[in-house]
Amino acid sequence: MKQMILKVAGNLRIAENVWKMYLENPELEEQKPGQFVNIRLDGQFLRRPISVCDSEAGKLTIVYKAVGKGTEQMTRLLPGEELDVLTGLGNGYDLTKAGESPLLLGGGVGIPPLYMLARKLREQGKAVTVILGFNRHDEVFGMPEFRKIGCDVTVTTVDGSCGTKGFVTDAMPEDYSYFYTCGPEPMLKAVYRKTKTSGQFSFEERMGCGFGACMGCSCKTITGYKRICREGPVLEKEEILWAD
Ligand SMILES: Cc1cc2nc3c(=O)[nH]c(=O)nc-3n(C[C@H](O)[C@H](O)[C@H](O)COP(=O)(O)OP(=O)(O)OC[C@H]3O[C@@H](n4cnc5c(N)ncnc54)[C@H](O)[C@@H]3O)c2cc1C
Ligand code: FES
C-alpha cells in the first residue's frame, strides 16, 4: 500500500451517472488488475474504495458511479485538482489460471476491474469472451474499449433496450476455460450457480479502513475469515461461503 497525491488529468461522464477519471503521478507504479484504490474526499470521514480500471506506470484510470455524497463530489473534480489516494490495495486477479479461453462477466460498475484484466489476458494471446450486463441502454459503457483490444463482447440489458435481453448468465457460451467476475451480489450468486469451471469473484463489500486494520469487511470462507480489503477483494469460487 502506498499513500500518494494523484493529479486529476480528466473526469468525463460516460453513461447515466457513470464517470471515468484519469489520474497521474510520475511516481505511481503499475497496479494489478483487480486491485483497488481508496480515495480521500474533503469533508468525508471514510475514504471511498474504487477499482483500478486500467493502469500503467504514472497513470491510473477509474470508472465510478455517482451514488452518494462521496462519488457525487468526485464528479465535480476538475483537471489539475489533486487527490489523496491509497494505492496498491487488495490481492487482484490471478491470471495464471485463465487457460486459453477465459470468460469475463461484469455487471454495472463491476465491469471496470475487468478491463485491465482483459487487456493483460489479450497481451498473453488468450481468446477472451466478455459479457457486460446493465439494466438499460443509457447505462451501457465499455463495449468499444473491450472490442478494441480484441475481446468477443456481448452486452445484456434487463429490459432488452440494448444487446441481448436478460442477465449476463443468459448470454454465457457453452465452452470457456475459466471465468472471472465482478458485479452486484445477486449477479455473483447467479454466476456461481451457472458456471461449470473454476473461477474468481471480486467482491465490492462495504469497507471501513480499506487496508486491513478494522475488520469491518471480514467475511467467512471455507478456509476461515478473510478481510475483503486485504485477502480479497478477489476470492476463488471454491472458497466462497454465501451468507444466505
Ligand atoms: C473493493 C471495492 C471496489 C469498488 N470499485 C468500484 C468501482 O470501480 N466503481 C464504482 O462505482 N464503485 C466501486 N465500489 C463501490 C464504491 O466504493 C461506493 O459506491 C462508494 O464508496 C459510495 O460512496 P458515496 O459516498 O458516493 O456513497 P454513500 O452511500 O454516501 O457512502 C457512505 C459510506 O458507505 C460506503 N459505501 C457505500 N456503498 C458502498 C459500496 N457499494 N461498497 C463499498 N462501500 C460503500 C462509502 O465508502 C461510505 O463510507 C467499490 C467498492 C469496493 C469495496
Ligand atoms: S475495511 Fe478495514 S479491515 Fe477491511
Side-chain angles (χ1 to χ4, degrees):
M1 175 180 80
K2 219 174 199 176
Q3 183 172 3
M4 307 191 83
I5 300 298
L6 302 185
K7 189 176 274 186
V8 176
N11 192 20
L12 318 165
R13 185 183 175 280
I14 57 168
E16 180 70 18
N17 284 333
V18 180
W19 295 65
K20 186 183 247 186
M21 188 185 285
Y22 300 90
L23 293 161
E24 291 179 352
N25 179 326
E27 282 167 26
L28 178 72
E29 289 167 13
E30 181 177 291
Q31 310 287 293
K32 281 175 62 184
Q35 284 193 310
F36 66 98
V37 298
N38 218 353
I39 303 176
R40 179 183 290 288
L41 296 161
D42 286 343
Q44 307 295 337
F45 174 63
L46 290 172
R47 290 173 180 265
R48 297 321 194 238
I50 302 287
S51 299
V52 170
C53 173
D54 202 9
S55 158
E56 59 184 89
K59 293 184 180 179
L60 170 71
T61 308
I62 56 173
V63 170
Y64 62 96
K65 187 167 188 174
V67 293
K69 273 185 287 184
T71 44
E72 263 155 27
Q73 204 171 319
M74 285 168 64
T75 66
R76 294 191 290 277
L77 290 168
L78 297 170
E81 290 193 67
E82 292 185 331
L83 280 176
D84 174 338
V85 182
L86 297 180
T87 61
L89 297 172
N91 55 357
Y93 289 111
D94 179 353
L95 279 72
T96 62
K97 300 187 173 171
E100 288 311 306
S101 52
L103 173 64
L104 278 52
L105 306 119
V109 281
I111 291 166
L114 300 180
Y115 176 75
M116 186 179 179
L117 172 69
R119 183 169 70 72
K120 292 284 178 189
L121 292 169
R122 288 292 302 137
E123 283 167 13
Q124 294 176 0
K126 313 287 183 186
V128 180
T129 301
V130 182
I131 308 179
L132 309 176
F134 304 91
N135 291 309
R136 297 182 312 274
H137 69 97
D138 56 355
E139 295 177 356
V140 175
F141 67 88
M143 188 166 42
E145 289 85 351
F146 281 98
R147 290 224 165 111
K148 200 171 165 192
I149 56 172
C151 300
D152 179 346
V153 187
T154 301
V155 167
T156 64
T157 47
V158 177
D159 69 358
S161 53
C162 181
T164 306
K165 185 175 183 346
F167 299 103
V168 291
T169 42
D170 295 320
M172 279 171 57
E174 280 293 312
D175 295 317
Y176 49 93
S177 53
Y178 193 78
F179 73 88
Y180 298 91
T181 188
C182 185
E185 196 164 304
M187 184 200 111
L188 297 184
K189 284 183 175 164
V191 169
Y192 182 91
R193 284 193 298 269
K194 190 143 183 208
T195 44
K196 297 191 179 81
T197 67
S198 292
Q200 292 167 40
F201 291 71
S202 180
F203 288 89
E204 298 193 340
E205 292 286 313
R206 284 193 171 245
M207 284 185 183
C209 68
F211 54 84
C214 74
M215 305 305 283
C217 63
S218 181
C219 77
K220 202 172 174 188
T221 71
I222 297 276
T223 50
Y225 279 92
K226 287 198 169 181
R227 294 161 297 180
I228 290 293
C229 68
R230 196 67 187 255
E231 289 86 38
V234 179
L235 298 182
E236 305 250 358
K237 183 179 182 184
E238 289 71 23
E239 63 182 327
I240 295 171
L241 276 180
W242 298 106
D244 46 56

